[in-house]
């Protein structure tokens, strides 16, 4: 059973559009993962520095254009929760990346398969 050339061409264009869209999203997700990993490293470094401070050391957090006093244990708790949240985001982005890479690979395979079957 043969598919008309116009329908085949339309199908190839749709699959190719899907592959291009997946590739763009892959690039965006990879950039987002890299950014979040940098943020995690920065938070972990800050947490390490705060842990090394004496208990009576005054710590100030930036809030907008001003700084407010915050107890070191509150700062440490905030840093830990932000780090955990970012790691969760990275995990979810890794899953999305895997899905997009699979979609892109399948789209390319389908296009190759159409061309191979069309050559017969």
């Amino acid at each position: 059973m043969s598919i008309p050339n116009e329908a085949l061409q339309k199908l190839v264009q749709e699959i190719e559009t899907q592959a291009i869209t997946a590739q763009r999203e892959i690039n965006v997700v990879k950039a987002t993962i890299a950014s979040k990993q940098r943020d995690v490293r920065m938070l972990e470094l800050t947490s390490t520095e705060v842990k090394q401070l004496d208990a009576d050391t005054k710590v100030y957090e930036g809030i907008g254009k001003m700084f407010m006093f915050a107890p070191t244990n509150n700062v440490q708790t905030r840093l830990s929760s932000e780090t955990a949240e970012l790691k969760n985001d990275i995990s979810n982005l890794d899953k999305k990346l895997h899905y997009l890479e699979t979609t892109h690979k399948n789209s390319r395979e389908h296009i190759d398969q159409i061309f191979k079957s069309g050559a017969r």
Side-chain angles (χ1 to χ4, degrees), residues 92-118:
N92 291 337
L93 285 169
D94 281 335
K95 291 174 188 173
K96 183 176 181 179
L97 180 64
H98 178 70
Y99 168 77
L100 290 170
E101 287 174 340
T102 303
T103 301
H104 182 262
K105 179 179 150 237
N106 289 341
S107 296
R108 287 292 162 200
E109 287 175 356
H110 289 150
I111 290 173
D112 290 343
Q113 194 174 37
I114 289 171
F115 285 140
K116 286 178 185 176
S117 67

Side-chain angles (χ1 to χ4, degrees), residues 38-103:
R38 277 191 305 274
D39 291 345
V40 166
R41 283 194 301 270
M42 190 124 78
L43 286 170
E44 288 173 345
L45 176 63
T46 304
S47 178
T48 303
E49 293 293 322
V50 169
K51 284 179 184 176
Q52 292 175 359
L53 296 173
D54 294 332
D56 59 345
T57 304
K58 292 186 178 187
V59 180
Y60 295 88
E61 289 187 283
I63 301 176
K65 293 184 177 181
M66 65 180 203
F67 294 93
M68 289 189 62
F69 171 74
T72 50
N73 60 349
N74 289 1
V75 173
Q76 191 63 36
T77 303
R78 182 187 60 79
L79 291 172
S80 298
S81 66
E82 285 183 24
T83 302
E85 184 178 322
L86 283 172
K87 286 182 179 180
N88 187 31
D89 290 348
I90 290 170
S91 173
N92 291 337
L93 285 169
D94 281 335
K95 291 174 188 173
K96 183 176 181 179
L97 180 64
H98 178 70
Y99 168 77
L100 290 170
E101 287 174 340
T102 303
T103 301

